[in-house]
Amino acid sequence: MSATTASWSSVREPGAPTGGRGNRDKPKKWGNPATYFVALLFIAVCIAPVLYIVVGGFRTNSQITTSPAGLPRPWVTGNYLNVLSSNTFWGEFANSTIVALASTIGIVVLGLMVSFVIARYDFKLKGAMYSLFAAGLMFPLVIAITPLYIMIKDLGLVDSLFGVIVPQIAFGLPTTVIILVPFLRAIPKEIEEAAAIDGASRLGFFFRMVLPLSGPGVVTVGILAFIGSWNNYVLPLYILDSQANFTLPLGVQAFSSQYSEDTAKVLAFTSLAMLPALIFFSVFEKRIVGGLTGAVKG
Amino acid sequence: MRLEIAVLSGPPIIMFVAFVIFPVALAAYYGFYRWHGYGAPTDWVGLNNYKLILTDPAFQQVLWHNFLIMVLSLVIQGPLAIVLALLLNQKIRGRSVIRVLIFVPFIISEVIVGTGWSLMLQSNGALNGLLHNTGLDFMRADWLANPKLALWTLMGIITWKYIGFAVILMLAGLQSIPEELFEAAAIDGASYWQIQRRITLPLLGPTVRIWGLLSIIGSLQLFDLVYIIWGQYISGTAGTSTMAIYMVGQGRNAGNYGYGSAVAVVMFLVSLVVAVIYQRFVLRRDLRGAVTQGVS
């Protein structure tokens, strides 16, 4: 997602992505039924497995064994209640939340700082600075994970949430810089001059004008950071050892191997673990899909 | 002003260099040692790790799997995403709802996708149950363990998980094509298919090519899904293991951090070479040095 935005943004020098909708988005008539058929089929394929996980949590194991693809008959809530009343789930939920919030804040704050410099200051190393972060897109976490683990171990941060948060912030910066720089550049020079005439320093300009004006970009970047952190698996897998520190992805994995005989419970745990990201997404979907569309549209 | 630049850009740059660039450099250093992760590495083995990696039939196998996954992802998802995007770009009702729903698999974490699918694909799982219920018993199969099938199962899951992202990207690309072009072509008497072939597809080119790069990099780094569904050992026998699986298995899980680092370096070089070739021959027109001189 990031790289796309990246290359497009830089090629097309877009204004701030607005995700605005053109006239084309307003359908005037119903159109071809075949189109709806294919669209519905596509949606069904996308959603059915997710529904299976959620609905499967309402069945018992014997129901699942006798009819693997059936519906709950009767619906049982025991699996969900069981998970919801367990300390394991809520502990992992809290860990995931802490890590995601801290990472998001770190990524947004540091990302804004450096993006502001790249976008609004004129100096020799500006291009190099941008390239440094753009090149970061080519360094995925998986490749750096082995030495990163050693580093975190030497810093004494193994098996602590902090040891996940810090690298996650660092790895979130490239995407952020690449999305934010065009945003910040799009703020008209006149506003900055007007602020200067009114006696605001460049830093004052940053806090009074840039922060409010770059709101949409910041939100997009923040959402991406949050969901990325919520779903991250490799880093916690290496860094976190004890179950008390697990985030939800590790928790799901541990739970499903611990209760491998109890499919219904695993399904309930799994669907509860994905719920926050889904809720988050459905609340902000316009920002994500729209922001992406806006970024590519230029 | 210099002070402002330093204060604002110092912390992010230090953070980024320390935890992103430096580890990759460290990997190159550790890769020359036989080392189990305790104390400083002392047992210098030169290029021996690399020799072992490149001659290990297991590594050649995972490299081949990565290559297959890369090519199949492009071949399966690319055309499918273009067709679906063309379809969904028509003036139909409920377009925004459709966009959200097809994006859902992309939002859910790989761990959850993997856990869910591995339950559904067990030999007594939901998919075989569904095939039984619909009278398609002859199609029932051991989707995960059968080595002839497992890679295709993986491709199915990958397609399911990432096609929504591709479609959204293509839709965004389609929206950036000025509508006047279609109107002009229609006035000139072009048919729907002529318009798609002569106008839409060429203008969608840049989007498709960028998506291709993302897909390629993703394929070469593939780890989570395979590790969750097949695990380190079964992925070997089922024929779905990837370079990253090999790296984690031979490196961390075996306690050979020097060797694991060397595998990481090889992975990085493979990705780099592929990306550079792709940029050079496919993206040349689109980028024009965007990554290196995006700010000017």
Side-chain angles (χ1 to χ4, degrees), chain B residues 1 10 16 48 52-53 57-58 65 73 95 114 120 122 124 129 137 143 159 173 194 198 202 215 225 229 242 245 275:
Chain B
M1 188 174 111
F16 179 71
N48 209 16
L52 285 175
I53 292 168
H65 294 159
S73 294
R95 232 167 39 160
M120 284 183 271
Q122 284 169 352
N124 59 349
D137 276 281
W143 303 101
T159 309
Q194 276 176 323
R198 305 271 178 201
S215 170
L225 275 178
I229 299 178
T242 63
I245 298 279

Side-chain angles (χ1 to χ4, degrees), chain A residues 1 3-4 8 11 24-25 36 45-46 52 113 121 131 139 142-143 147 149 151 153 171 231 234 238 285, chain B residues 4 8 18-19 23-24 37 93 95 100 106-107 109 120 160 175 179 207 214 247 252 257 264 286 292:
Chain A
M1 173 169 329
T4 320
W8 273 91
V11 175
R24 263 184 288 173
D25 274 27
Y36 288 96
V45 171
C46 287
Y52 171 78
M113 283 158 65
Y121 285 76
S131 309
F139 291 67
V142 171
I143 280 176
Y149 166 73
M151 275 176 64
K153 199 175 71 165
F171 275 90
N231 292 344
V234 184
Y238 267 73
E285 54 82 14
Chain B
E4 282 174 22
L8 285 175
F19 289 95
V24 177
R93 296 198 177 206
R95 232 167 39 160
V100 172
F106 184 71
I107 294 296
S109 82
M120 284 183 271
W160 177 80
Q175 305 249 304
E179 198 155 15
T207 311
L214 291 179
M247 179 190 83
R252 178 179 190 253
Y257 287 94
D286 307 329
T292 44

Side-chain angles (χ1 to χ4, degrees), chain A residues 37 45 63 70 117 121 126 134 146 148 154 162 166 214 230 236 243 253 265:
Chain A
F37 176 72
V45 171
Q63 285 182 27
V117 170
Y121 285 76
K126 185 164 87 160
T146 306
L148 196 58
D154 291 343
F162 207 59
V166 173
S214 59
W230 191 269
Q243 185 129 25
Q253 193 201 12
K265 210 170 163 186

Side-chain angles (χ1 to χ4, degrees), chain B:
Chain B
M1 188 174 111
R2 272 164 188 270
L3 184 72
E4 282 174 22
I5 293 177
V7 169
L8 285 175
S9 65
I13 289 181
I14 292 170
M15 185 96 171
F16 179 71
V17 171
F19 289 95
V20 178
I21 307 286
F22 185 59
V24 177
L26 264 188
Y29 167 70
Y30 291 149
F32 291 118
Y33 291 88
R34 183 183 301 134
W35 184 47
H36 298 293
Y38 299 102
T42 48
D43 192 359
W44 169 272
V45 292
L47 290 172
N48 209 16
N49 284 336
Y50 294 96
K51 240 181 258 165
L52 285 175
I53 292 168
L54 295 177
T55 54
D56 184 354
F59 182 78
Q60 291 157 7
Q61 209 182 18
V62 296
L63 191 63
W64 173 240
H65 294 159
N66 272 115
F67 176 75
L68 281 179
I69 293 166
M70 180 181 91
V71 173
L72 289 174
S73 294
L74 290 176
V75 173
I76 298 171
Q77 284 182 51
L80 194 60
I82 294 173
V83 169
L84 286 170
L86 285 178
L87 209 81
L88 296 178
N89 197 39
Q90 294 174 32
K91 292 172 178 151
I92 58 172
R93 296 198 177 206
R95 232 167 39 160
S96 48
V97 178
I98 294 173
R99 280 192 203 176
V100 172
L101 290 178
I102 62 177
F103 214 53
V104 164
F106 184 71
I107 294 296
I108 301 172
S109 82
E110 271 82 359
V111 175
I112 285 170
V113 168
T115 309
W117 276 106
S118 62
L119 287 173
M120 284 183 271
L121 294 173
Q122 284 169 352
S123 30
N124 59 349
L127 181 59
N128 280 341
L130 192 68
L131 291 172
H132 175 73
N133 293 350
T134 47
L136 295 169
D137 276 281
F138 67 96
M139 280 180 69
R140 291 164 56 110
D142 192 350
W143 303 101
L144 296 175
N146 182 349
K148 289 207 180 99
L149 216 56
L151 188 78
W152 293 99
T153 306
L154 174 63
M155 290 316 302
I157 299 172
I158 289 177
T159 309
W160 177 80
K161 172 108 173 74
Y162 299 108
I163 190 78
F165 174 66
V167 171
I168 294 288
L169 216 58
M170 307 283 178
L171 273 174
L174 286 176
Q175 305 249 304
S176 69
I177 303 174
E179 198 155 15
E180 293 75 27
L181 289 179
F182 301 120
E183 284 159 11
I187 290 171
D188 288 349
S191 73
Y192 175 80
W193 290 110
Q194 276 176 323
I195 293 177
Q196 304 310 326
R197 215 170 75 79
R198 305 271 178 201
I199 298 178
T200 315
L201 283 184
L203 288 175
L204 193 58
T207 311
V208 176
R209 290 191 284 267
I210 291 283
W211 166 80
L213 180 66
L214 291 179
S215 170
I216 286 172
I217 293 180
S219 302
L220 292 175
Q221 315 294 342
L222 186 70
F223 173 73
D224 298 11
L225 275 178
V226 178
Y227 198 69
I228 292 290
I229 299 178
W230 282 276
Q232 179 188 338
Y233 300 106
I234 299 173
S235 65
T237 54
T240 54
S241 48
T242 63
M243 287 191 284
I245 298 279
Y246 179 85
M247 179 190 83
V248 173
Q250 302 292 317
R252 178 179 190 253
N253 294 358
N256 292 323
Y257 287 94
Y259 193 78
S261 299
V263 179
V265 172
V266 174
M267 267 176 79
F268 177 65
L269 291 178
V270 170
S271 311
L272 191 70
V273 167
V274 173
V276 166
I277 292 175
Y278 190 86
Q279 294 216 349
R280 186 139 184 87
F281 291 100
V282 184
L283 283 183
R284 201 176 27 181
R285 280 172 290 177
D286 307 329
L287 284 177
R288 292 194 304 260
V291 172
T292 44
Q293 24 183 284
V295 176
S296 50

